[in-house]
Amino acid sequence: MSEPRPLFPADPKATYLAHAGAINAAIARVLAGGHYILGPEVEAFEREWAAYLGDGYAVGVANGTEALELALRAVGVAAGDRVATVANTVSATAAAIQQIGAEPVFVEIDVTTMTMSPGALADVLTNAQPIKAVLPVHLYGRPAAMPEIMELARAHGAKVVEDCAQAHGAKIGDQRAGTWGDAAAFSFYPTKNLGALGDGGAVFATDATVADRVRSLRQYGWKPRYVSVAPGRNSRLDELQAAILRVKLPSLDAENAVRASHARRYLQRLAGGPWQLPPADERAKSVWHQFALRSPRRHAMLTHLAAHDIHAGVLYPVPLHHQPAYACEQKLPVTEQACAEVLCLPVHPGLTLADIDRGCDELLRWAEA
Ligand SMILES: *Cc1c(COP(=O)(O)O)cnc(C)c1O
């Protein structure tokens, strides 16, 4: 019998190979077309991505971090402003805030969903110092509690920017993540649910003025061309990445459905084990960017899985308020415990149900021992 293949948290090469013919043809088309930056492919992708999300405008940018930064700037965040976000996220979320010279204020998370707690947000918003914007993260593909967050933010005059880097296609009720706030930021890093073959990102906004500001900011603050109306910068999406994203977008829902079917298998087979499974949520439909288990014994589980060539991920081991770049005095016990306990099992669409079963078998074997 041959050795079982190693399983990883993401497999961008498998994603490429699944679309190789069409991607190669799209690349050849761009190379022959002679437009390499902000051309017809970017324009077409912006239209297609906006149509997929809902009523509004998409603006392609260089990566997810800059999508967050430009979205925050476009809704009015400036140096010295305070932005409420969470600490159990990738550093990029806080980096975007810092890039503006604004200050991240970390909000405690909900103990079961691990996304921003509306109750904790209410406390932060009623605090003495005003919050200019709220930046919830749809972590692991699960949308944050947007109806409650929007209501609180509106009541306190704060803007809302959604970090959608892990939530392409997720929904709350019938409405996509990314269409709730004043703006949303997407990353197309190769391991995301919709990934390019290089860096890429986009801002989505329902308001044309916000989208226009991002369009100007991404290219030297130009409006019109050759006239800078704001201190600009360069954060452009290139034609090759846009063409590749256009090939992959029509398969996003099908690939998310494969992730969901893998997640259902984990939920069925791992029920009742010595760990905490992701909670069921009727309202918020996850796109399973990650399948995050929780256990105080995650180290032993990771070691056992790795010995069988199953490589789980730890996203994210150190909460932002404990990292040197963002260190602050805040106490966030729920966040700290989540960061100490999560481990993310491979759930990407390049895996088969047999791969998922192998992961379940090994975890159940570990639990028995
Ligand atoms: C990936 C990611 C980002 C940053 O995206 P880049 O394209 O790597 O800049 C931001 N926030 C979250 C939650 C992410 O997962």
Side-chain angles (χ1 to χ4, degrees):
M1 222 179 79
S2 62
E3 284 290 304
R5 64 178 181 142
L7 307 183
F8 296 103
D11 190 350
K13 185 174 173 186
T15 322
Y16 162 64
L17 291 175
H19 303 277
I23 287 177
N24 293 350
I27 289 173
R29 179 178 78 228
V30 172
L31 296 184
H35 264 102
Y36 305 117
I37 297 274
L38 294 187
E41 299 287 341
V42 169
E43 278 171 31
F45 173 67
E46 288 176 343
R47 274 196 307 275
E48 289 158 11
W49 184 230
Y52 174 86
L53 291 173
D55 218 2
Y57 309 87
V59 184
V61 297
N63 55 63
T65 311
E66 292 179 350
L68 282 166
E69 182 198 333
L70 298 193
L72 288 166
R73 286 186 193 276
V75 302
V77 175
D81 286 338
R82 288 157 35 99
V83 177
T85 188
V86 289
N88 61 333
T89 177
V90 69
S91 311
T93 309
I97 298 169
Q98 274 190 332
Q99 199 60 43
I100 302 173
E103 183 196 341
V105 176
F106 298 114
V107 179
E108 188 58 290
I109 55 171
D110 179 84
V111 68
T112 57
T113 64
M114 292 192 276
T115 58
M116 184 180 278
S117 153
L121 175 64
D123 288 345
V124 167
L125 286 169
T126 46
N127 201 344
Q129 287 171 291
I131 295 290
K132 181 75 182 191
V134 183
L135 175 40
V137 177
H138 304 311
L139 191 71
Y140 308 140
R142 174 190 297 272
M146 289 315 295
E148 292 79 8
I149 290 170
M150 289 311 299
E151 197 179 320
L152 286 163
R154 290 287 180 255
H156 289 85
K159 299 290 183 185
V160 175
V161 173
E162 299 171 66
D163 185 339
C164 292
Q166 303 187 358
H168 311 74
K171 281 181 178 173
I172 301 165
D174 290 328
Q175 192 181 333
R176 297 243 189 244
T179 63
W180 291 81
D182 298 287
F186 290 88
S187 164
F188 304 120
Y189 185 78
T191 62
K192 308 292 189 186
N193 288 41
L194 178 61
L197 296 175
D199 273 313
V203 174
F204 178 86
T206 48
D207 180 346
T209 315
V210 173
D212 271 350
R213 270 189 216 125
V214 176
R215 218 168 265 128
S216 164
L217 285 169
R218 76 173 166 187
Q219 179 154 258
Y220 320 138
W222 276 354
K223 193 184 168 110
R225 198 173 175 82
Y226 306 126
V227 180
S228 293
V229 293
R233 39 98 57 66
N234 171 3
S235 183
R236 294 178 298 224
L237 180 62
D238 73 72
E239 288 284 287
L240 284 174
Q241 300 309 331
I244 291 162
L245 289 164
R246 291 184 69 205
V247 170
K248 294 178 70 183
L249 175 53
S251 308
L252 175 60
D253 284 342
E255 290 178 357
N256 282 342
V258 174
R259 289 175 184 268
S261 127
H262 290 348
R264 274 195 302 277
R265 186 71 144 220
Y266 278 134
L267 288 168
Q268 280 162 10
R269 292 208 50 206
L270 299 179
W275 39 64
Q276 222 174 301
L277 293 169
D281 192 332
E282 291 300 314
R283 186 180 70 164
K285 294 178 192 106
S286 177
V287 286
W288 301 102
H289 177 63
Q290 301 288 343
F291 186 92
L293 274 187
R294 288 181 62 165
S295 163
R297 299 181 63 205
R298 88 165 161 211
H299 182 72
M301 292 163 74
L302 285 166
T303 311
H304 178 86
L305 289 172
H308 294 87
D309 235 347
I310 300 166
H311 304 278
V314 175
L315 287 75
Y316 298 91
V318 184
L320 294 180
H321 66 299
H322 287 175
Q323 296 186 16
Y326 313 104
C328 64
E329 291 300 302
Q330 278 185 268
K331 299 251 182 312
L332 305 165
V334 182
T335 299
E336 287 154 28
Q337 194 175 349
C339 289
E341 291 185 351
V342 290
L343 85 163
C344 298
L345 302 178
V347 72
H348 63 81
L351 301 170
T352 63
L353 219 45
D355 293 328
I356 304 302
D357 277 335
R358 229 178 92 208
C360 295
D361 291 343
E362 285 311 330
L363 279 172
L364 294 168
R365 203 165 291 148
W366 172 83
E368 268 170 35

